[in-house]
Amino acid sequence: MTELAAAKAALKTQAVETPSWAYGNSGTRFKVFAQPGVPRTPEEKLDDAAKVHEFTGVAPTVALHIPWDKVEDYAALAKHAEDRGVRLGAINSNTFQDDDFRLGSICHPDAAVRRKAVGHLLECVDIMDATGSRDLKLWFADGTNYPGQDDIRARQDRLAEGLAEVYERLGEGQRMLLEYKLFEPAFYTTDVPDWGTAYAHCLKLGPKARVVVDTGHHAPGTNIEFIVATLLREGRLGGFDFNSRFYADDDLMAGAADPFQLFRIMYEVVRGGGLTPGVAFMLDQCHNIEAKIPAIIRSVMNVQEATAKALLVDRSALAEAQASGDVLGANAVLMDAYDTDVRPLLREVREEMGLDPEPLAAYRRSGWAEKTVAERVGGEQAGWGA
């Protein structure tokens, strides 16, 4: 198989999971902005997600967020997804929107609050059993705002204890993906602030625990591709939450702020053998001022473009330049791939997959936006509830 054919094959099998919450209303700290046609139910979110997959061909799964996507019958919800050509993906927990969690959830100093938080996480595993989901994705808002507010080491002990209980509940083929975030909403200490903390807990838990990298959750200037390379080397990279940031956790469209960074990350994924089902590629974004489905389609396309460029790196030439100490030559190999216009290649890939070569144009012609605006009248729109 030629290098080009291999790149095409990889692009055709790539899968980018979209988040249910990205289809609902979202906003800033100050205001959640409503848009016409926004889904009112988890089923309608899946209907929108199915459109993203219909026009991109590489978004076959949808992540759920509990309790935002709570339903009485998860098997029925999974069937609804299947009927529309998609599947239910990762189950995301929510331990940050309850008054009891003001001082933390799984790390809270009160044992009763910790019990409540762990109970929610165990409920999420029950939901995984019903939906057939593989991954439980955990992000904790836990932390402190002031020196002396709580015992830093004790909070790590509580975290380890709670995670261990949930880990033991995981079934065959299920995984725990532990996310980290530099800060926010806690500002003095965050209980899982970086990949090292997440990695240390995952190592102690066992092989079903992996680290998930949210591209917006780092300090400015952090070399995210180094983190990716290291976690792949250690066999502990569970997946990504792709988005873009200019300052902090901005949750903008993937590849919007720094497409070169996204390319560098994807090169390390390709280099480290991470284009496999074992590494989950997920979006974690909100779309406050732009139309939601087109923004998600654009984000999927941006991930595809970064992946295509990473696949086109001449790795033999790169290795030769690196071995000979040719600094400029090695950099030029990477830059040649990055500067390649891969849009014609991706149009070919889509046509070979039986798709329209221009997903955004095809979506706009479909009339789905107009249909949802006309039909989704009344009821309560889905959203953050902020």
Side-chain angles (χ1 to χ4, degrees):
M1 183 182 292
T2 66
E3 289 185 4
L4 183 60
K8 281 186 172 184
L11 290 165
K12 289 174 184 177
T13 59
Q14 186 176 29
V16 181
E17 184 164 292
T18 68
S20 69
W21 53 97
Y23 299 98
N25 285 324
S26 57
T28 68
R29 297 177 186 274
F30 312 110
K31 170 67 176 174
V32 169
F33 301 105
Q35 294 187 18
V38 159
R40 297 160 297 180
T41 65
E43 289 81 3
E44 289 182 348
K45 293 179 188 178
L46 294 174
D47 295 343
D48 283 359
K51 290 297 172 183
V52 175
H53 183 49
E54 178 183 337
F55 294 112
T56 64
V58 294
T61 58
V62 187
L64 299 185
H65 206 294
I66 306 301
W68 296 343
D69 296 315
K70 199 164 187 177
V71 295
E72 291 296 325
D73 189 338
Y74 289 99
L77 188 66
K79 181 64 166 56
H80 183 92
E82 183 183 344
D83 288 345
R84 281 146 185 80
V86 292
R87 304 185 310 277
L88 302 182
I91 302 300
N92 292 253
S93 62
N94 183 325
T95 55
F96 52 86
Q97 281 191 317
D98 189 299
D99 284 346
D100 284 344
F101 299 148
R102 185 187 303 269
L103 300 180
S105 62
I106 195 172
C107 302
H108 198 287
D110 187 329
V113 175
R114 295 199 301 274
R115 184 72 256 149
K116 178 176 180 177
V118 171
H120 168 67
L121 302 183
L122 294 173
E123 176 194 14
C124 288
V125 182
D126 291 340
I127 293 170
M128 292 169 66
D129 292 341
T131 60
S133 299
R134 178 187 64 176
D135 293 333
L136 171 67
K137 189 144 71 68
L138 305 178
W139 172 71
F140 298 106
D142 293 37
T144 64
N145 277 353
Y146 298 99
Q149 177 182 326
D150 201 357
D151 187 309
I152 294 174
R153 178 166 173 167
R155 292 180 73 91
Q156 289 296 308
D157 291 340
R158 300 167 199 154
L159 175 64
E161 181 181 358
L163 289 176
E165 182 176 348
V166 179
Y167 185 89
E168 288 304 313
R169 168 63 182 82
L170 294 174
E172 188 70 27
Q174 293 178 338
R175 309 188 306 176
M176 172 188 290
L177 302 186
L178 183 57
E179 189 174 350
Y180 57 90
K181 186 176 183 180
L182 175 66
F183 76 103
E184 194 188 45
F187 294 100
Y188 173 60
T189 63
T190 300
D191 291 312
V192 191
D194 51 44
W195 73 275
T197 305
Y199 177 56
H201 281 283
C202 288
L203 276 182
K204 188 172 183 180
L205 289 166
K208 292 182 179 181
R210 306 284 180 94
V211 180
V212 63
V213 176
D214 184 305
T215 51
H217 284 189
H218 305 82
T222 298
N223 190 316
I224 299 174
E225 56 267 34
F226 172 82
I227 298 170
V228 171
T230 302
L231 289 173
L232 275 169
R233 182 175 180 269
E234 298 300 320
R236 289 287 178 160
L237 179 63
F240 290 94
D241 276 352
F242 284 122
N243 52 56
S244 264
R245 48 78 61 81
F246 288 99
Y247 297 104
D249 186 23
D250 304 340
D251 277 348
L252 301 175
M253 293 188 300
D258 189 350
F260 185 46
Q261 181 190 64
L262 184 56
F263 160 75
R264 300 193 311 265
I265 290 170
M266 290 311 304
Y267 172 69
E268 292 302 333
V269 170
V270 171
R271 160 70 180 83
L275 281 183
T276 69
V279 177
F281 297 97
M282 301 172 280
L283 301 181
D284 183 8
Q285 307 172 169
C286 60
H287 306 290
N288 306 335
I289 60 174
E290 66 271 29
K292 297 178 186 301
I293 296 177
I296 296 169
I297 291 175
R298 179 71 262 179
S299 295
V300 172
M301 294 170 66
N302 287 349
V303 173
Q304 286 182 296
E305 289 180 15
T307 305
K309 292 180 178 187
L311 288 164
L312 294 180
V313 171
D314 187 337
R315 291 171 61 183
S316 296
L318 181 61
E320 183 178 341
Q322 290 170 341
S324 65
D326 184 357
V327 175
L328 293 179
N331 178 250
V333 172
L334 274 183
M335 294 309 300
D336 283 346
Y338 178 69
D339 289 335
T340 301
D341 184 357
V342 295
R343 290 174 297 176
L345 170 62
L346 284 165
R347 283 194 285 267
E348 281 185 33
V349 167
R350 293 183 189 113
E351 287 176 337
E352 291 173 10
M353 294 173 67
L355 302 169
D356 190 293
E358 298 291 347
L360 276 172
Y363 170 72
R364 293 192 181 102
R365 289 195 304 270
S366 74
W368 182 255
E370 295 78 9
K371 174 181 167 64
T372 56
V373 169
E375 294 182 354
R376 294 175 183 171
V377 178
E380 183 178 351
Q381 291 184 322
W384 289 350

